[in-house]
Every structure is written in C-alpha cells, then in structure tokens.
Amino acid sequence: AFFIYLSLYLSTYLFFSSSLSFSRYAIYFIAMVDAATKKTLAAIPLLKTKAGPRDKEEWPQRLKEEVTSLIKYIQNNKEADNDWLRIQSNKDGTRWFGKCWYVQDYKKYEFELEFDIPVTYPMTAPEIAIPSLDGKTAKMYRGGKICLTEHFKPLWSRNAPKFGVAHALALGLGPWVAVEIPDLIKRGIVVHKDDKSEDS
C-alpha cells in the first residue's frame, strides 16, 4: 500500500523578505541553488527508477523511492523546527493533496494544496496548486497552479529522473510560499481567519 502521510520540513525558504519582487525572486532562486540549496538537495536522496504512472511494473518501485526520499528529507529538517506542510497521496500515488502554511506575526495561514503526477513524470515536474489562491496573484496559473521561475524547469530537466516529489516541494512550493504569501498578506489579499471573524 502506498498511502502516505508525511510531514515535510523547510529549513531555508520561509525567511525571505516579503518585499522581494518576482525578478529578485528569480535571482535569489539562482543564488539558493548555488549555495544553501545545494546543501539541502544533497541531503535528499536521489531517485533511481525512471518510471511514471503508466509504467505498471516499475511504478511501485518508484513510489518506494519517493517515500524513502521524502522521509529522509523530513528527518534532515526536523532539527530546524520548520514544520510547514502536511501531504498524503491516494492509493496509487498518482494524486497528492494536503495543507501548507505560513506563520507571520504569530499567526498561522493555512492553504489546501494538490497536484497530480504527470503521465510523463519523472521527466516532467508536477504542477502544484493552491486552489484557494486562484486569481489572487499574478504568480499563478488558472486553477491555482503556482508559477515557478524560469530556472526551475531547466533545473528539473537536468536532474530528471533523479528528482522526485520531495525535490519539487523543496525547490518549487517552498520558495513560492516564502515569497508570495507574505506579499499577499501585506496587500490584504490574504487575511487570517481570526481577523475575518473580528470583522464579521
């Protein structure tokens, strides 16, 4: 059975300035890959099996490697005490869903997330979506799919099929949340649930 319930931890991405523009985000992304992120990525086990959902015989082995990589990523980041995400998959490991959150001024902002494993995975990275933020930021495609920098896809392509779900979360969702959520809070687009209650 490949039903997975995992906690993922982020060690470096949740401390970016909320004033970063998208261009600065792209520049910072490059710097991260060249510096601190290398250390983070080096600690995440690379995957060996080149198999996607259509590869019925090898896909179970790929899922085992995904789980191993994710668990190791969790263990490596527990010391940082940066619990920011809960995620689980369906039985076949083809659809993932859960919650991510961002803490600012002692307030926890939670968001539902979801993504499907592409049929061309692992050569194609999953498109992670936060549906509740659909239409609230330019850094997002229709349906709430987060818009990654132009540097993410080439990085994924160079490392496929060795990169997996843990890498997509660390290099994709993590930096996006760290940059976009503070900005949305600052502009009043994202409001904490307790503040909504006070206004009602």
Side-chain angles (χ1 to χ4, degrees):
F2 294 102
F3 185 79
I4 308 159
Y5 188 75
L6 299 168
S7 303
L8 299 182
Y9 296 82
L10 187 64
S11 60
T12 54
Y13 304 121
L14 299 182
F15 300 100
F16 302 156
S17 169
S18 61
S19 63
L20 283 172
S21 64
F22 185 63
S23 60
R24 290 180 64 194
Y25 167 34
I27 294 172
Y28 204 83
F29 184 91
I30 299 174
M32 288 193 309
V33 170
D34 289 343
T37 301
K38 283 188 176 181
K39 183 177 180 180
T40 301
L41 292 178
I44 303 175
L46 297 174
L47 289 79
K48 300 178 180 179
T49 303
K50 182 181 178 181
R54 290 182 176 179
D55 302 311
K56 299 302 181 182
E57 293 185 0
E58 295 186 334
W59 179 237
Q61 176 59 34
R62 174 74 186 198
L63 283 178
K64 290 180 181 179
E65 294 175 14
E66 294 281 2
V67 174
T68 299
S69 181
L70 286 164
I71 291 175
K72 183 61 176 177
Y73 180 61
I74 293 169
Q75 293 173 341
N76 291 339
N77 289 281
K78 280 185 177 180
E79 295 179 0
D81 193 26
N82 284 320
D83 187 11
W84 68 284
L85 185 146
R86 292 286 186 274
I87 188 169
Q88 60 185 7
S89 76
N90 63 3
K91 184 177 180 180
D92 298 326
T94 55
R95 183 166 179 77
W96 298 70
F97 46 91
K99 290 183 179 182
C100 63
W101 55 83
Y102 183 86
V103 178
Q104 179 169 303
D105 298 328
Y106 304 103
K107 294 181 179 180
K108 184 178 181 181
Y109 298 80
E110 292 186 329
F111 310 93
E112 301 283 342
L113 69 95
E114 62 185 35
F115 59 90
D116 294 321
I117 296 296
V119 294
T120 52
Y121 185 83
M123 305 313 292
T124 302
E127 295 183 323
I128 304 171
I130 304 178
S132 63
L133 298 180
D134 187 16
K136 295 184 178 181
T137 171
K139 313 304 187 301
M140 183 168 277
Y141 300 113
R142 181 175 296 181
K145 294 180 179 179
I146 64 174
C147 179
L148 302 174
T149 73
E150 62 183 3
H151 307 285
F152 175 80
K153 288 185 177 180
L155 181 64
W156 183 277
S157 297
R158 289 196 300 270
N159 289 278
K162 297 178 180 179
F163 273 8
V165 171
H167 300 87
L169 293 168
L171 286 172
L173 182 62
W176 191 95
V177 167
V179 172
E180 291 303 314
I181 299 304
D183 182 62
L184 292 172
I185 295 171
K186 181 179 180 180
R187 292 191 284 137
I189 296 175
V190 168
V191 180
H192 192 267
K193 60 182 180 181
D194 291 346
D195 295 332
K196 290 181 180 178
S197 300
E198 293 175 1
D199 293 338
S200 61

